[in-house]
Amino acid sequence: MEPLTLCEPLTLYLDGFWISPYAFSVFVCLTEKGLSFETREVKLHERAQDTPELKTKSVTGRVPVLEQGAFRLSESSAIVEYLEEAYPAPAHPALLPSARQDRARARQIMAWIRSDLMPIREERPTSTIFYEAARTPLSAAGQAAAYKLIAAASIFVPDGRTSLFDDFSIADADLAMMLQRLIANGEEVPSKLRAFAEAQWRRPSVRAFVNHPRPSYVAY
Ligand SMILES: N[C@@H](CCC(=O)N[C@@H](CS)C(=O)NCC(=O)O)C(=O)O
């Protein structure tokens, strides 16, 4: 059953403005793996996630959703893990470190980024990276979250390096996206972390997402 599924075309459902950090993670993963895939935009500002079609595909009404034949999966970290298992090294680049403890660290960083730092996510949404920068300064809670992000990232990113581990991992892209919320909005970010985020931003898979054409933004 599954080998047949793996031959089926891949479709990534993502938001219509190409700003979802979770869709970004899956997009980078698919691109780094060298997989051909289609993208379908879901207009979240028109509540397209509530349509029966998307509800059936995602179950939870959220993007990203990966579709492969009759198999549909939402939750970016589950999708990344699926792709890593379904398209493993050496036939495809590994997107999690091969060393067990590094792999665990990458998963820690990915889980943390998805579950903490809420004031940054609220006050510096990814629309401020791809559209217009924020107009108001960070609140006290936002500043505390920025400090927490910078403190942790300064430990996670080794000195003199622009990647978390020896080779690229999907945690690099996720951490860079979180740091870009500060950088793009002119917040103070130490040079080591700025160099890290900028290096990740130059990666072709990341550029393909960042430079993808976007329609005019409608706040939602
Ligand atoms: N934990 C989820 C988060 C997904 C998520 O929050 N997606 C947002 C777009 S960035 C969404 O679909 N929002 C629409 C909604 O919740 O109705 C993941 O990692 O995929």
Side-chain angles (χ1 to χ4, degrees), residues 89-120:
H92 300 270
L95 296 182
L96 290 169
S98 54
R100 192 195 314 257
Q101 292 182 355
D102 286 349
R103 200 158 61 244
R105 184 74 63 217
R107 288 181 172 128
Q108 175 196 344
I109 293 167
M110 292 168 70
W112 177 63
I113 283 171
R114 282 164 174 73
S115 62
D116 199 354
L117 309 170
M118 190 52 88
I120 298 179

Short mmCIF file of all heavy atoms in Angstrom, two decimals, residues 89-120:
data_model
loop_
_atom_site.label_atom_id
_atom_site.label_comp_id
_atom_site.label_asym_id
_atom_site.label_seq_id
_atom_site.Cartn_x
_atom_site.Cartn_y
_atom_site.Cartn_z
N ALA A 89 17.80 9.64 3.47
CA ALA A 89 19.16 9.61 2.94
C ALA A 89 19.54 8.14 2.75
O ALA A 89 19.00 7.28 3.46
CB ALA A 89 20.10 10.29 3.92
N PRO A 90 20.42 7.79 1.81
CA PRO A 90 21.19 8.73 0.99
C PRO A 90 20.51 9.11 -0.33
O PRO A 90 21.05 9.95 -1.05
CB PRO A 90 22.49 7.95 0.73
CG PRO A 90 22.04 6.53 0.67
CD PRO A 90 20.92 6.40 1.66
N ALA A 91 19.36 8.53 -0.62
CA ALA A 91 18.72 8.88 -1.90
C ALA A 91 18.29 10.35 -1.90
O ALA A 91 18.24 10.98 -2.94
CB ALA A 91 17.53 7.96 -2.14
N HIS A 92 17.97 10.87 -0.71
CA HIS A 92 17.56 12.26 -0.57
C HIS A 92 18.38 12.88 0.56
O HIS A 92 18.77 12.16 1.48
CB HIS A 92 16.07 12.35 -0.23
CG HIS A 92 15.19 11.73 -1.28
ND1 HIS A 92 14.69 12.42 -2.34
CD2 HIS A 92 14.76 10.46 -1.41
CE1 HIS A 92 13.98 11.62 -3.10
NE2 HIS A 92 14.00 10.42 -2.56
N PRO A 93 18.59 14.19 0.51
CA PRO A 93 19.31 14.81 1.64
C PRO A 93 18.54 14.61 2.95
O PRO A 93 17.32 14.71 2.97
CB PRO A 93 19.34 16.30 1.26
CG PRO A 93 19.02 16.37 -0.18
CD PRO A 93 18.21 15.15 -0.53
N ALA A 94 19.30 14.31 4.01
CA ALA A 94 18.67 14.24 5.34
C ALA A 94 18.39 15.65 5.81
O ALA A 94 19.22 16.55 5.64
CB ALA A 94 19.61 13.54 6.32
N LEU A 95 17.23 15.85 6.41
CA LEU A 95 16.88 17.19 6.90
C LEU A 95 16.86 17.27 8.41
O LEU A 95 16.53 18.30 8.99
CB LEU A 95 15.54 17.64 6.31
CG LEU A 95 15.60 17.78 4.78
CD1 LEU A 95 14.29 18.28 4.25
CD2 LEU A 95 16.72 18.72 4.37
N LEU A 96 17.21 16.16 9.05
CA LEU A 96 17.48 16.16 10.48
C LEU A 96 18.88 15.57 10.64
O LEU A 96 19.29 14.72 9.83
CB LEU A 96 16.45 15.32 11.23
CG LEU A 96 15.04 15.91 11.31
CD1 LEU A 96 14.04 14.88 11.84
CD2 LEU A 96 15.02 17.16 12.17
N PRO A 97 19.62 16.00 11.66
CA PRO A 97 20.99 15.51 11.81
C PRO A 97 21.04 13.99 11.96
O PRO A 97 20.11 13.37 12.51
CB PRO A 97 21.47 16.19 13.09
CG PRO A 97 20.56 17.36 13.28
CD PRO A 97 19.25 16.97 12.70
N SER A 98 22.14 13.39 11.49
CA SER A 98 22.25 11.93 11.58
C SER A 98 22.61 11.47 13.00
O SER A 98 22.22 10.39 13.42
CB SER A 98 23.27 11.40 10.56
OG SER A 98 24.48 12.07 10.75
N ALA A 99 23.34 12.29 13.74
CA ALA A 99 23.71 11.91 15.11
C ALA A 99 22.47 12.04 16.01
O ALA A 99 21.77 13.06 15.98
CB ALA A 99 24.83 12.81 15.62
N ARG A 100 22.23 11.02 16.80
CA ARG A 100 21.00 10.94 17.59
C ARG A 100 20.78 12.18 18.48
O ARG A 100 19.68 12.72 18.53
CB ARG A 100 21.03 9.67 18.45
CG ARG A 100 19.71 9.33 19.09
CD ARG A 100 19.88 8.30 20.20
NE ARG A 100 20.72 7.20 19.80
CZ ARG A 100 20.28 5.98 19.45
NH1 ARG A 100 18.99 5.73 19.47
NH2 ARG A 100 21.12 5.01 19.12
N GLN A 101 21.85 12.60 19.18
CA GLN A 101 21.65 13.72 20.11
C GLN A 101 21.45 15.04 19.37
O GLN A 101 20.68 15.90 19.81
CB GLN A 101 22.82 13.80 21.11
CG GLN A 101 22.79 12.59 22.05
CD GLN A 101 23.87 12.60 23.11
OE1 GLN A 101 24.75 13.47 23.12
NE2 GLN A 101 23.83 11.62 24.00
N ASP A 102 22.12 15.19 18.23
CA ASP A 102 21.87 16.39 17.42
C ASP A 102 20.44 16.37 16.88
O ASP A 102 19.77 17.40 16.82
CB ASP A 102 22.85 16.46 16.23
CG ASP A 102 24.26 16.86 16.66
OD1 ASP A 102 24.43 17.28 17.83
OD2 ASP A 102 25.18 16.74 15.83
N ARG A 103 20.00 15.19 16.49
CA ARG A 103 18.63 15.05 15.96
C ARG A 103 17.61 15.42 17.05
O ARG A 103 16.65 16.13 16.80
CB ARG A 103 18.41 13.61 15.48
CG ARG A 103 17.26 13.46 14.52
CD ARG A 103 17.38 12.22 13.67
NE ARG A 103 17.40 10.97 14.44
CZ ARG A 103 18.42 10.12 14.48
NH1 ARG A 103 19.51 10.37 13.78
NH2 ARG A 103 18.36 9.02 15.21
N ALA A 104 17.89 14.96 18.26
CA ALA A 104 17.02 15.31 19.38
C ALA A 104 17.04 16.82 19.62
O ALA A 104 16.00 17.44 19.90
CB ALA A 104 17.45 14.56 20.64
N ARG A 105 18.21 17.42 19.52
CA ARG A 105 18.32 18.88 19.72
C ARG A 105 17.54 19.63 18.63
O ARG A 105 16.83 20.61 18.93
CB ARG A 105 19.80 19.30 19.67
CG ARG A 105 20.05 20.77 19.96
CD ARG A 105 19.87 21.13 21.43
NE ARG A 105 20.84 20.42 22.23
CZ ARG A 105 20.59 19.91 23.47
NH1 ARG A 105 19.41 20.07 24.01
NH2 ARG A 105 21.52 19.25 24.13
N ALA A 106 17.65 19.16 17.40
CA ALA A 106 16.89 19.81 16.31
C ALA A 106 15.40 19.73 16.60
O ALA A 106 14.67 20.72 16.45
CB ALA A 106 17.21 19.12 14.97
N ARG A 107 14.94 18.58 17.06
CA ARG A 107 13.50 18.43 17.37
C ARG A 107 13.12 19.33 18.54
O ARG A 107 12.01 19.87 18.58
CB ARG A 107 13.19 16.97 17.69
CG ARG A 107 13.23 16.10 16.43
CD ARG A 107 12.89 14.66 16.79
NE ARG A 107 12.74 13.84 15.60
CZ ARG A 107 13.37 12.67 15.40
NH1 ARG A 107 14.20 12.19 16.31
NH2 ARG A 107 13.16 11.99 14.29
N GLN A 108 14.02 19.46 19.52
CA GLN A 108 13.76 20.36 20.65
C GLN A 108 13.54 21.79 20.15
O GLN A 108 12.57 22.46 20.52
CB GLN A 108 14.94 20.35 21.63
CG GLN A 108 14.78 21.36 22.76
CD GLN A 108 16.08 21.65 23.51
OE1 GLN A 108 17.05 20.91 23.40
NE2 GLN A 108 16.10 22.73 24.26
N ILE A 109 14.44 22.25 19.29
CA ILE A 109 14.36 23.63 18.78
C ILE A 109 13.07 23.80 17.98
O ILE A 109 12.36 24.81 18.13
CB ILE A 109 15.62 23.96 17.95
CG1 ILE A 109 16.85 23.98 18.87
CG2 ILE A 109 15.45 25.28 17.21
CD1 ILE A 109 18.18 23.98 18.14
N MET A 110 12.75 22.82 17.15
CA MET A 110 11.54 22.93 16.33
C MET A 110 10.28 22.96 17.19
O MET A 110 9.36 23.73 16.95
CB MET A 110 11.49 21.76 15.34
CG MET A 110 12.58 21.87 14.27
SD MET A 110 12.74 20.35 13.33
CE MET A 110 11.22 20.38 12.41
N ALA A 111 10.25 22.11 18.23
CA ALA A 111 9.08 22.07 19.11
C ALA A 111 8.97 23.37 19.90
O ALA A 111 7.87 23.91 20.09
CB ALA A 111 9.17 20.87 20.04
N TRP A 112 10.10 23.89 20.32
CA TRP A 112 10.11 25.13 21.11
C TRP A 112 9.60 26.31 20.29
O TRP A 112 8.77 27.10 20.74
CB TRP A 112 11.53 25.39 21.62
CG TRP A 112 11.70 26.66 22.37
CD1 TRP A 112 11.10 27.01 23.55
CD2 TRP A 112 12.54 27.75 22.01
NE1 TRP A 112 11.51 28.26 23.93
CE2 TRP A 112 12.40 28.73 23.01
CE3 TRP A 112 13.41 27.99 20.95
CZ2 TRP A 112 13.08 29.95 22.97
CZ3 TRP A 112 14.10 29.19 20.90
CH2 TRP A 112 13.93 30.16 21.90
N ILE A 113 10.11 26.40 19.06
CA ILE A 113 9.68 27.51 18.19
C ILE A 113 8.18 27.46 17.95
O ILE A 113 7.52 28.49 17.82
CB ILE A 113 10.48 27.45 16.86
CG1 ILE A 113 11.89 27.99 17.11
CG2 ILE A 113 9.78 28.21 15.74
CD1 ILE A 113 12.82 27.80 15.97
N ARG A 114 7.63 26.27 17.89
CA ARG A 114 6.19 26.12 17.61
C ARG A 114 5.32 26.31 18.85
O ARG A 114 4.10 26.37 18.72
CB ARG A 114 5.93 24.73 17.00
CG ARG A 114 6.31 24.64 15.52
CD ARG A 114 6.41 23.21 15.06
NE ARG A 114 6.64 23.13 13.63
CZ ARG A 114 7.79 23.41 13.02
NH1 ARG A 114 8.82 23.82 13.73
NH2 ARG A 114 7.91 23.30 11.71
N SER A 115 5.92 26.33 20.02
CA SER A 115 5.07 26.33 21.22
C SER A 115 5.35 27.49 22.18
O SER A 115 4.60 27.67 23.14
CB SER A 115 5.26 25.00 21.98
OG SER A 115 6.61 24.88 22.39
N ASP A 116 6.40 28.28 21.93
CA ASP A 116 6.76 29.35 22.87
C ASP A 116 6.84 30.67 22.10
O ASP A 116 6.54 30.71 20.90
CB ASP A 116 8.10 28.99 23.54
CG ASP A 116 8.32 29.76 24.84
OD1 ASP A 116 7.52 30.65 25.17
OD2 ASP A 116 9.33 29.50 25.52
N LEU A 117 7.26 31.71 22.77
CA LEU A 117 7.53 33.01 22.13
C LEU A 117 6.27 33.63 21.52
O LEU A 117 6.35 34.33 20.50
CB LEU A 117 8.64 32.87 21.06
CG LEU A 117 9.92 32.17 21.53
CD1 LEU A 117 10.83 31.87 20.36
CD2 LEU A 117 10.65 33.02 22.58
N MET A 118 5.14 33.38 22.13
CA MET A 118 3.86 33.85 21.58
C MET A 118 3.83 35.37 21.36
O MET A 118 3.31 35.83 20.33
CB MET A 118 2.72 33.39 22.49
CG MET A 118 1.35 33.61 21.90
SD MET A 118 1.17 32.92 20.24
CE MET A 118 0.67 31.26 20.62
N PRO A 119 4.38 36.19 22.31
CA PRO A 119 4.33 37.63 22.05
C PRO A 119 5.05 38.04 20.75
O PRO A 119 4.60 38.96 20.06
CB PRO A 119 5.03 38.24 23.28
CG PRO A 119 4.84 37.21 24.34
CD PRO A 119 4.94 35.89 23.65
N ILE A 120 6.13 37.35 20.41
CA ILE A 120 6.80 37.68 19.14
C ILE A 120 5.89 37.30 17.98
O ILE A 120 5.73 38.04 17.01
CB ILE A 120 8.15 36.95 19.00
CG1 ILE A 120 9.11 37.38 20.12
CG2 ILE A 120 8.77 37.22 17.63
CD1 ILE A 120 10.46 36.69 20.06
#
